[in-house]
Amino acid sequence: PGDILAGYRVTRLLGRGGMGEVWAATSDAAAEGSLRREVAVKVLLARAAMKPDLVRRFEREARIASAIKSPYVCQLLEVAEADDGSHLLIFEQLTGESLADRLKREQYLPFSEVGPIIDDVLQGLAAAHAASVIHRDLKPGNIFLEQFSAAPSSRYAPPSGGFGTGGFVPRPDDLDERLERAMILDFGISKLTHRVKEEPTLTA
């Protein structure tokens, strides 16, 4: 916490896996009149960065995440590199909890909650499949229940010229009556369904 990564000040650790860590961060010095941007920074760990296959997998995750345009898939904002050369992926930061955390707390969910979650996830998967991507790690821990106020809001646009350019993904009209939506996270071990030369070695 306190470190600067790609212009964002790190605030807290969100999660850690075998390949990397995810940190919450905020724009260090927002320009006058602009909103402070909060993001999630995925950092490839140094030991993983020493393995070319893992670096290619990290880069492929960036390509895949930027190709999927859906309000039900966490959006990649930019790809960056830290001062020490560490590989970074900058995602939108979501407010809420994972489905795994909710199930751990609640144990059982009524169908009135489960139905909309399943519908959101299916729409996110449909967008991924349309981009020729199979997630392969769909589980409650990778489904995030984003919470928001009832007032309509828009997702911010990625930086000009960066990954995911082409404008923000608008909030669907049917969410105006809801206080949350399910978002698919982590395409780190996803697979492209069309033939790619390096694909077999990356996910063996």
Side-chain angles (χ1 to χ4, degrees), residues 1-201:
D3 285 353
I4 303 296
L5 293 176
Y8 297 96
R9 183 175 295 277
V10 172
T11 56
R12 69 187 189 280
L13 181 67
L14 295 176
R16 178 181 286 119
M19 280 180 56
E21 298 173 338
V22 180
W23 292 83
T26 184
S27 52
D28 192 41
E32 185 176 351
S34 66
L35 295 176
R36 185 174 294 275
R37 171 177 286 171
E38 296 191 350
V39 299
V41 182
K42 187 170 186 176
V43 184
L44 184 66
L45 293 175
R47 64 175 180 272
M50 296 173 65
K51 301 178 180 180
D53 280 358
L54 294 184
V55 173
R56 289 202 299 271
R57 254 175 62 177
F58 198 75
E59 293 171 343
R60 189 195 58 182
E61 181 182 357
R63 294 196 303 272
I64 286 175
S66 65
I68 302 171
K69 305 299 182 188
S70 170
Y72 304 101
V73 173
C74 187
Q75 295 297 296
L76 177 67
L77 302 178
E78 59 182 299
V79 177
E81 194 173 281
D83 292 339
D84 64 359
S86 298
H87 300 271
L88 310 174
L89 300 182
I90 315 295
F91 290 91
E92 61 178 325
Q93 187 183 143
L94 306 176
T95 300
E97 63 181 345
S98 71
L99 179 57
D101 287 340
R102 179 166 298 180
L103 288 171
K104 189 179 300 182
R105 186 180 70 251
E106 303 289 343
Q107 295 191 333
Y108 300 98
L109 300 180
F111 185 75
S112 59
E113 289 184 36
V114 174
I117 291 172
I118 291 175
D119 187 64
D120 290 353
V121 171
L122 287 175
Q123 291 192 61
L125 288 177
H129 293 176
S132 301
V133 175
I134 304 296
H135 189 283
R136 298 208 305 172
D137 194 23
L138 195 63
K139 58 187 179 183
N142 283 336
I143 296 172
F144 194 88
L145 304 177
E146 183 193 20
Q147 298 170 356
F148 39 68
S149 67
S153 63
S154 295
R155 311 263 294 283
Y156 46 72
S160 177
F163 271 69
T165 54
F168 63 83
V169 178
R171 174 177 167 174
D173 292 338
D174 65 351
L175 286 174
D176 287 344
E177 302 300 321
R178 293 170 52 193
L179 297 179
E180 71 177 21
R181 68 173 148 194
M183 307 275 288
I184 300 175
L185 309 178
D186 197 354
F187 283 78
I189 62 169
S190 59
K191 190 173 184 67
L192 293 164
T193 57
H194 57 72
R195 291 185 176 275
V196 178
K197 186 177 294 185
E198 84 259 36
E199 188 71 4
T201 63

